Amino acid sequence: PDLFWERVFLLDQEYRCSESAFAQNLWLEHSVMNMKLDTVDGANKALAVFKEATPEVIILDPLYKMMLKEDTNQEAGKAVVDFLDAVITEIGCSVVVVHHSRKRLVTSDGRVVNQGKAEARGHTTITQDWPDTEIQARRTKDGLQLTFEKCRWGREPDDLLVRVEADSLVTSLATTT
């Protein structure tokens, strides 16, 4: 918790989030990180916390820290997606899951291979079967490259290159492909 709040404090010092007109729209909670979503007890506690907050969007970041078992475990993956479905059904909100990619596949001549949905680390129950859309974010010299891949019900928008002004957090669309 101390490291979490230290990070939040440092972000606020840099970007002045707490001075924004939208400051009351953001609620940060670290206690859920101790609730393992692939366990019945952890999922029930997290669901109670989320119900009380009545959010429109929940962002779980990073998912692997909220799991007792490995993210490659099929049973754990099924428990997590059951939890996520319960959150969506009972609260009626959107859920964004931040998850890490596996090691990058690099060819012998040094080119990085985009593995699509297989880029995400973990069991396919979490990484390929459950999400509506996967968004890959890669930092480039020109900005943040966002690549969208439809998985289930989501709409597959064009890829984007976004620039973020560090002093204001204002984003601008650099290009669309």
Side-chain angles (χ1 to χ4, degrees), residues 8 12 15-28:
V8 170
D12 188 52
Y15 300 116
R16 302 286 182 216
C17 303
S18 62
E19 298 172 17
S20 164
F22 302 103
Q24 299 307 309
N25 294 355
L26 180 63
W27 176 65
L28 300 170

Side-chain angles (χ1 to χ4, degrees), residues 88-100:
I88 292 168
T89 301
E90 294 185 34
I91 299 174
C93 64
S94 296
V95 177
V96 175
V97 175
V98 178
H99 199 47
H100 295 276

Side-chain angles (χ1 to χ4, degrees), residues 4 8-10 12 28-29 34 37 44 72 75 91 93-95 97 101 112 127 130 147-148 151 161 170:
F4 173 80
V8 170
F9 175 77
L10 292 172
D12 188 52
L28 300 170
E29 179 58 56
N34 296 329
L37 306 180
N44 288 339
T72 55
E75 288 177 28
I91 299 174
C93 64
S94 296
V95 177
V97 175
S101 59
V112 175
T127 62
W130 184 80
T147 304
F148 299 84
C151 296
L161 181 63
V170 172

